[in-house]
Amino acid sequence: MENSEKIKIAINGGIGFGSKLNAKQLATISNYMDEKEELELNTFQQLYVEIPTAKQEEIIEEFTQAGLACYPVGNFVKSLRTCNFCKGEEAEGMPMAKELNRRIAGRPVPITLKAAYTGCALGCGEPMLSDIGVMKNRDRYNLYVGGKAKGKDAKVGSLLLENLSPEELYEVVEKIIAGYAATGKKRETFYKYTKRIGIPHLMG
Ligand code: SF4
């Protein structure tokens, strides 16, 4: 009997101009959907799709070949939410956003962590309302932490460091996430974690 077990994965078109999917990507996804199945769009610029567990590696490879980015679902760092890079790839730091995403997305953490990037101070990627937010400022980067988008007590994040180079930014963000993964309590949100240990102590 064929194994019908399925696993849910999150997919999107990767980091680029806007949050777009092309026809080939849509066709590739639909190969694994029945007529009555639905795609779920979450608030992280991702789609949830269920694929057969037994074939997940080959399907993820097929999705990747079609230019889709695939991420685990659950208590992981989500793929980087970004602005639309309206002023141009280099000017708005898209390569840096891609590298940051490569380094942090999919890392296990106590509960889902939302990180966001925005290419200028207009902040279309909503970094101030994310657990970890990056805002490009000329050719440097400002880092915000502890934003909270949900609930009546929604809060903007606090500026932790400013004028960082890309390498400095990667290092600090990775250190913060490693600390949260190691010492955050089970299902403790990053917002609560920052309250408990104090923003100045996030980097150890
Ligand atoms: S944050 Fe700036 S670069 Fe990014 S989409 Fe908004 S205006 Fe354009």
Side-chain angles (χ1 to χ4, degrees):
M1 198 170 80
E2 196 178 332
N3 183 354
S4 59
E5 199 180 315
K6 288 195 167 187
I7 183 171
K8 187 185 275 190
I9 61 168
I11 56 177
N12 61 26
I15 292 177
F17 295 108
S19 302
K20 299 174 185 169
L21 293 176
N22 61 35
K24 180 183 176 189
Q25 291 165 343
L26 289 169
T28 305
I29 297 166
S30 70
N31 283 338
Y32 296 95
M33 296 178 70
D34 296 333
E35 275 186 12
K36 289 184 180 166
E37 268 186 290
E38 295 173 330
L39 275 179
E40 180 185 345
L41 175 64
N42 66 22
T43 56
F44 302 99
Q45 297 177 332
Q46 297 176 329
L47 294 165
Y48 284 150
V49 60
E50 292 194 338
I51 57 173
T53 306
K55 293 185 174 175
Q56 64 175 295
E57 281 184 19
E58 62 193 84
I59 294 172
I60 287 174
E61 176 60 26
E62 186 183 342
F63 282 0
T64 305
Q65 290 298 324
L68 293 162
C70 304
Y71 303 97
V73 173
N75 295 331
F76 300 96
V77 178
K78 288 292 195 180
S79 53
L80 195 65
R81 182 184 170 91
T82 64
C83 72
N84 286 344
F85 300 99
C86 72
K87 295 176 184 171
E89 177 169 338
E90 288 298 328
E92 306 310 335
M94 197 193 297
M96 178 268 157
K98 286 180 176 172
E99 176 61 14
L100 181 62
N101 183 65
R102 190 190 67 75
R103 291 182 184 225
I104 66 173
R107 287 216 190 168
V109 280
I111 195 164
T112 304
L113 183 142
K114 179 176 166 185
Y117 174 91
T118 209
C120 79
L122 287 180
C124 302
E126 301 179 354
M128 309 293 291
L129 292 174
S130 301
D131 295 311
I132 293 175
V134 178
M135 186 179 283
K136 188 168 188 284
N137 182 25
R138 296 195 173 87
D139 59 348
R140 309 291 279 189
Y141 300 88
N142 294 349
L143 176 63
Y144 297 83
V145 292
K148 184 175 185 296
K150 292 193 283 188
K152 288 180 184 167
D153 56 344
K155 213 176 168 303
V156 296
S158 304
L159 179 64
L160 179 65
L161 292 166
E162 55 188 335
N163 295 322
L164 298 170
S165 68
E167 285 303 327
E168 289 168 336
L169 181 75
Y170 304 145
E171 190 179 325
V172 173
V173 172
E174 288 187 288
K175 198 178 273 187
I176 291 172
I177 290 173
Y180 175 48
T183 62
K185 296 176 184 171
K186 193 175 178 192
R187 299 191 65 78
E188 180 180 39
T189 63
F190 185 75
Y191 175 75
K192 286 186 179 166
Y193 170 74
T194 60
K195 289 277 178 201
R196 178 166 63 82
I197 74 159
I199 285 175
H201 305 294
L202 283 177
M203 292 175 290

